[in-house]
Amino acid sequence: MELSSWELWILITRWVLYIGMAASIGGACSLWLMQKHGVLKHQLLRYTLLAASIAIIFAGIHFLVRVGSAAEEGVAGMFDPDMIAFMWDSPLGQALALRALGLLLFLLAVLFHALVKSRSLEEEIQLDLLEILIATVGIGMIAYSFTEAGHAAAQHVLFHLVLTVHILLTAWWMGSLYPLWLVCHRLSFNEAFIVLERFGQLAVSAVLILFAGGLYMSYQLTGWTGLLANDYGQLLIIKVVLVVLILILAALHKFVLVPKLMHVQDASKLKKSILVEKLVGSAIFAITTVLTTLVGPVH
């Protein structure tokens, strides 16, 4: 598959947007999951704020790159007011508006906690109901924005709902990997075991929902026919292989490495495995970027 320079930049900006979005959601959820561990507060807040800022910036850059690609007038075309207005009124613009508003609401909730509420970085992370509510609404808008454009836009309401939940759970899982690495790095073995065990319990339900949702959406888009005969099907199969690999890693964490943590008093293998999981997750996001941007499903 040969890519033009515009297509390459479309892929890069959307991939970074995915990473930033996932890290934002995972970071926010980790603030709740790890709220008793004040020693992690500063790094979790910094991680979440940085990720949200990157997501907002690259949401805008991605839109401008799409404008430039449509204008076909070089870099100057990215800022053509007529083309910007045209794209803004399209599903792409509607998705950007919803995504940007969701990210801003989310960022407002995190900034409020970081700048107004947090006095001592070593205190427990006390989250107010208002903060959680604003962040939840923002996260929901971010996830739902991906149903407003692309292949999902033509699908029915149930598909949109399944896709929104799928995006939320995927973002939570992938975005929580760095905080989990911090847990292994900064907490005692006993504290790390408690946090990791709790995350593993939550992940079991998430994995089942993700697997069922992925099967449903792939069938709706492809009918599971002729997958080897087109680019979309081939990339989808590669994505499934990577998903199976990351599930194996998750099972290794839950059933082997985390239980052994208390006995061997060594988190080095677990930290390396989490790093590998992060790399595989980034590859899954990369393939998803191609599937949702350049390659259309053949039903």
Side-chain angles (χ1 to χ4, degrees):
M1 182 188 300
E2 292 187 10
L3 300 178
S4 68
S5 57
W6 281 118
E7 289 173 334
L8 181 60
W9 281 110
I10 287 172
L11 292 178
I12 291 173
T13 53
R14 193 171 180 90
W15 180 69
V16 177
L17 170 61
Y18 281 155
I19 298 294
M21 179 199 71
S24 302
I25 295 173
C29 293
S30 296
L31 283 168
W32 171 77
L33 180 67
M34 305 168 192
Q35 57 187 300
K36 292 185 178 180
H37 305 287
V39 68
L40 301 175
K41 179 191 290 187
H42 177 64
Q43 287 171 293
L44 288 176
L45 283 173
R46 185 171 58 183
Y47 170 69
T48 306
L49 287 170
L50 177 61
S53 300
I54 289 174
I56 291 174
I57 291 169
F58 274 85
I61 293 175
H62 178 73
F63 176 76
L64 291 176
V65 169
R66 297 291 289 265
V67 170
S69 175
E72 297 183 342
E73 295 179 359
V75 176
M78 295 171 59
F79 307 98
D80 182 287
D82 293 331
M83 186 58 72
I84 288 176
F86 174 77
M87 295 291 282
W88 185 257
D89 289 333
S90 70
L92 181 67
Q94 295 168 8
L96 172 65
L98 185 62
R99 191 172 304 145
L101 181 57
L103 284 166
L104 288 172
L105 282 174
F106 174 82
L107 188 59
L108 177 65
V110 180
L111 279 173
F112 175 78
H113 181 85
L115 301 179
V116 178
K117 282 192 59 189
S118 294
R119 295 181 177 87
S120 170
L121 293 178
E122 298 302 320
E123 292 178 353
E124 290 186 6
I125 307 167
Q126 297 296 332
L127 301 175
D128 289 340
L129 180 61
L130 181 61
E131 291 174 64
I132 296 174
L133 179 61
I134 294 174
T136 301
V137 171
I139 288 171
M141 294 173 69
I142 295 166
Y144 189 77
S145 70
F146 288 93
T147 69
E148 294 293 288
H151 314 317
Q155 297 294 324
H156 44 76
V157 175
L158 179 59
F159 186 96
H160 289 180
L161 178 61
V162 172
L163 176 58
T164 300
V165 174
H166 191 81
I167 289 172
L168 285 172
L169 291 178
T170 302
W172 164 71
W173 187 0
M174 295 298 101
S176 296
L177 292 178
Y178 174 70
L180 292 177
W181 182 89
L182 279 179
V183 165
C184 297
H185 190 65
R186 297 290 304 276
L187 299 184
S188 67
F189 293 115
N190 184 55
E191 291 175 319
F193 174 80
I194 293 172
V195 173
L196 292 166
E197 182 70 15
R198 188 179 183 191
F199 178 85
Q201 292 170 352
L202 294 172
V204 169
S205 299
V207 165
L208 294 175
I209 296 172
L210 281 170
F211 187 73
L215 287 177
Y216 168 79
M217 290 187 295
S218 65
Y219 181 77
Q220 290 295 312
L221 290 172
T222 68
W224 296 343
T225 58
L227 293 180
L228 294 176
N230 58 81
D231 291 339
Y232 189 92
Q234 293 166 12
L235 287 170
L236 185 61
I237 290 173
I238 295 174
K239 180 180 177 179
V240 169
V241 172
L242 291 175
V243 169
V244 170
L245 176 58
I246 210 169
L247 290 177
I248 292 173
L249 288 171
L252 178 66
H253 295 169
K254 179 171 176 59
F255 297 112
V256 179
L257 296 181
V258 172
K260 286 178 63 177
L261 189 63
M262 294 294 292
H263 303 293
V264 300
Q265 300 285 293
D266 182 7
S268 58
K269 289 184 178 180
L270 183 56
K271 287 191 286 187
K272 290 177 182 177
S273 184
I274 290 174
L275 177 59
V276 173
E277 192 173 354
K278 287 165 64 177
L279 294 175
V280 176
S282 298
I284 291 173
F285 280 143
I287 293 178
T288 302
T289 302
V290 177
L291 289 173
T292 58
T293 306
L294 298 182
V295 182
V298 179
H299 200 301

